[in-house]
Amino acid sequence: MLPSTLVAIASAAVASAHTVISYPGWRGNNLVTNSTFPFGMQWMYPCGGMPTTTNRTFWPTVGGAVAFQPGWFQGHATAFVYINLGLGNEGPDDARHLHGPPNMSNPMISPLQLLGPSKAPFPGTFCLPQVPLPVNTTVKAGDNATIQVVELAVHGAALYSCVDITFADPGDPRIPHVNETNCFNSSDIGVADIYTLTLRAPGQSSVESGARRTLALDGNAAVAYLGYLPVVLGGLWALL
Ligand SMILES: *[C@@H]1O[C@H](CO)[C@@H](O)[C@H](O)[C@H]1NC(C)=O
Ligand SMILES: *[C@@H]1O[C@H](CO)[C@@H](O)[C@H](O)[C@H]1NC(C)=O
Ligand SMILES: *[C@@H]1O[C@H](CO)[C@@H](O)[C@H](O)[C@H]1NC(C)=O
Ligand SMILES: *[C@@H]1O[C@H](CO)[C@@H](O)[C@H](O)[C@H]1NC(C)=O
Ligand SMILES: *[C@@H]1O[C@H](CO)[C@@H](O)[C@H](O)[C@H]1NC(C)=O
Ligand SMILES: *[C@@H]1O[C@H](CO)[C@@H](O)[C@H](O)[C@H]1NC(C)=O
Ligand SMILES: *[C@@H]1O[C@H](CO)[C@@H](O)[C@H](O)[C@H]1NC(C)=O
């Protein structure tokens, strides 16, 4: 009896430690590397290899909280984060013959960058308390949808996790309460806005200004534009 109790406690600890979308829930543990997913399950579009689930969580029709733990992988001190919504159930049949959304192409937020403490896996939670519905989207209580959290790594590949939800009117008691235990920002995780600078608009001549050419010749320019705007602006200032 004792060993099985210990196993139960140990696996409960593992399960909670592996919760990547901590609010409103997630499809299940996809932090798996095995012969089916030799590169790691979570890299699989659109939901990290997890098929559509039926144990849906209730989430408000006006948008609500999304909390997740971004630091489970080696080598990703920074990542761009996207949160998208998939609507309806006309998507491709999946392994359990359930149909999820046809696509996850409806962004809920502008992407942002998370700044982890190091390249080693790190603990901590990041929470946006009021993620809105995608622009021009209206839903009603009882509609099903899927929230997708994408972490874009520095090399351009992305980690995917999803949670299947059913919309409920705000204040519905079936919506799990949002509070400081399930929605908080850990102090070891920083956050940055993401900007781009247009070097040449489509249809524009390829003759560039001197300052821009200097930046374009810098091998780090692409990275600078994506993640380190203050550095780029500092550089432009110096050139002016
Ligand atoms: C749904 O069930 C799976 C399998 O038991 C579990 O891993 C997952 O956390 C559950 N999801 C929710 C939102 O309760
Ligand atoms: C790998 O893990 C996934 C998720 O648990 C599972 O569906 C799959 O069957 C596993 N593959 C093997 C070969 O064990
Ligand atoms: C929403 O999903 C649940 C279970 O996944 C299903 O029973 C229900 O019929 C779905 N509702 C709609 C409106 O499709
Ligand atoms: C994505 O799915 C929505 C339904 O949620 C559908 O209206 C839209 O046409 C789809 N977009 C693409 C590009 O397939
Ligand atoms: C939202 O709807 C308005 C009015 O129909 C349209 O002009 C706008 O392009 C839409 N925005 C998006 C992101 O689809
Ligand atoms: C926070 O809400 C969850 C339900 O989402 C509940 O289980 C937990 O006890 C609450 N914590 C506090 C401190 O109220
Ligand atoms: C976490 O940080 C983000 C970005 O600064 C912020 O929008 C959000 O409100 C914070 N979450 C909480 C629970 O304070």
Side-chain angles (χ1 to χ4, degrees):
M1 191 184 152
L2 186 58
S4 70
T5 310
L6 284 176
V7 168
I9 292 168
S11 55
V14 167
S16 67
H18 279 176
T19 302
V20 173
I21 305 179
S22 48
Y23 187 98
W26 72 330
R27 283 189 172 186
N29 183 359
N30 60 357
L31 297 170
V32 172
T33 299
N34 61 19
S35 57
T36 314
F37 301 103
F39 294 97
M41 189 172 176
Q42 206 169 93
W43 300 106
M44 308 299 294
Y45 184 88
C47 288
M50 293 298 298
T52 309
T53 57
T54 51
N55 54 343
R56 294 171 176 275
T57 315
F58 290 96
W59 202 70
T61 49
V62 294
V66 175
F68 54 96
Q69 298 169 328
W72 283 106
F73 279 83
Q74 190 75 37
H76 308 301
T78 64
F80 288 179
V81 171
Y82 299 73
I83 303 179
N84 303 309
L85 191 71
L87 289 159
N89 44 23
E90 278 78 55
D93 198 1
D94 67 31
R96 290 180 205 162
H97 304 294
L98 296 167
H99 295 270
N103 61 64
M104 298 286 174
S105 307
N106 310 295
M108 305 175 87
I109 60 165
S110 300
L112 46 85
Q113 186 184 38
L114 291 185
L115 309 168
S118 78
K119 280 189 164 187
F122 51 87
T125 294
F126 182 75
C127 180
L128 295 174
Q130 184 55 45
V131 174
L133 293 184
V135 176
N136 294 347
T137 303
T138 51
V139 297
K140 57 182 193 315
D143 287 352
N144 288 335
T146 300
I147 297 171
Q148 178 200 48
V149 175
V150 182
E151 262 190 82
L152 180 63
V154 287
H155 46 60
L159 296 159
Y160 301 97
S161 277
C162 293
V163 53
D164 297 304
I165 58 161
T166 298
F167 285 105
D169 289 320
D172 188 310
R174 294 174 299 178
I175 300 171
H177 192 54
V178 177
N179 57 36
E180 66 281 3
T181 38
N182 55 27
C183 180
F184 61 94
N185 286 337
S186 300
S187 58
D188 57 345
I189 300 175
V191 58
D193 281 336
I194 301 171
Y195 298 88
T196 61
L197 291 179
T198 302
L199 291 182
R200 181 160 55 85
Q204 218 174 51
S205 137
S206 64
V207 177
E208 295 170 13
S209 79
R212 283 177 177 174
R213 192 173 307 127
T214 306
L215 282 168
L217 288 173
D218 174 356
N220 292 323
V223 174
Y225 290 130
L226 292 171
Y228 300 104
L229 182 72
V231 176
V232 177
L233 285 180
L236 281 173
W237 245 261
L239 290 164
L240 288 174

